[in-house]
Amino acid sequence: MIRLIALACASLLLVTPARSAANESEEARLRARLGPDLAGPVIEILRSAAAQGLPTAPLVARALEGASRQADGASILRAVRRHASGLAAARRALGPGARPAELDAGAGALLAGMPEDSLVGLRRARPSGSLVIPLIVLSDFVARGISPVNASGTVLAATRAGAADLALLRMRERINERIRRGEAPLGASREGLRELLTRTEPGPRVSSGPEPRERRRP
């Protein structure tokens, strides 16, 4: 037992400097690109996220993207703060075991307008597999003009039916192609889902409450 404890302590000593070095590298990049006035507040957000166990690489990427686009400091700081909040909300919805890539994709979906309940439903529909692709497809649908409610219903239905990542990506391409040809986003998503379901072998259904429905406009 004493030997196991000693090995565990040694492992922590090896990991902690590596993490510290990574954090220092990120902070150095931010100071070099953003300047001291903006880098300071952004680094504070990064340190707060790291203390919560959230991934910081997406926040660094967000800040550097803003700098590359020559956005003003207030806009960059606002974008980084929103993404940090999105990461925290994604972990709340996806669970503490969510991988960094899932949290980043989940934050993107939430910032695109998806409700947290949609992420919770996806986790229930695919409790052990990666949700990166379903979350990316969700965000892409909203960007294409599909409402969050319908986008969620489409991806949830496909995931509950057992559709793999490749099938979801193919469905996305078919729906996007229909929209590019002038078809209404709602009709395109319904037809794309119908095509996917005819090609997907039915799998075990995971109950997560009633599926969201598209509201009809008066």
Side-chain angles (χ1 to χ4, degrees):
M1 178 63 71
I2 295 176
R3 183 184 179 189
L4 290 176
I5 294 174
L7 288 173
C9 292
S11 298
L12 287 175
L13 290 174
L14 290 174
V15 171
T16 302
R19 289 180 178 175
S20 177
N23 293 340
E24 290 177 1
S25 176
E26 289 179 341
E27 293 182 7
R29 291 175 64 197
L30 291 173
R31 290 192 179 94
R33 290 290 302 278
L34 304 181
D37 293 339
L38 178 58
V42 171
I43 289 172
E44 286 182 10
I45 297 174
L46 258 67
R47 291 177 178 175
S48 175
Q52 299 173 60
L54 298 173
T56 56
L59 303 178
V60 175
R62 180 71 65 180
L64 296 180
E65 178 187 11
S68 297
R69 295 182 177 180
Q70 298 183 339
D72 61 89
S75 297
I76 293 175
L77 188 59
R78 186 164 53 248
V80 174
R81 187 175 287 116
R82 287 183 70 243
H83 204 85
S85 298
L87 291 171
R91 186 174 62 182
R92 185 166 57 245
L94 298 176
R99 303 173 182 87
E102 290 179 308
L103 294 179
D104 191 26
L110 293 172
L111 294 176
M114 299 303 305
E116 287 187 34
D117 287 348
S118 296
L119 275 63
V120 173
L122 274 178
R123 174 55 74 199
R124 289 175 178 170
R126 191 187 278 187
S128 57
S130 172
L131 292 178
V132 172
I133 295 300
L135 290 166
I136 289 175
V137 172
L138 271 180
S139 300
D140 187 65
F141 280 167
V142 175
R144 295 284 181 175
I146 301 174
S147 72
V149 171
N150 188 246
S152 177
T154 300
V155 177
L156 274 174
T159 305
R160 288 169 182 163
D165 286 349
L166 183 59
L168 290 173
L169 291 173
R170 287 173 176 169
M171 180 183 70
R172 181 188 66 168
E173 290 306 313
R174 291 190 181 99
I175 291 174
N176 289 347
E177 179 59 31
R178 288 177 176 274
I179 293 174
R180 283 192 293 267
R181 293 201 305 261
E183 191 169 336
L186 175 58
S189 63
R190 286 177 173 172
E191 186 61 24
L193 176 62
R194 186 193 66 79
E195 291 176 354
L196 178 142
L197 293 178
T198 60
R199 293 176 169 85
T200 302
E201 292 293 332
R205 181 178 177 84
V206 180
S207 176
S208 57
E211 295 182 9
R213 298 179 179 178
E214 181 75 7
R215 295 181 179 178
R216 295 182 178 178
R217 295 182 179 179

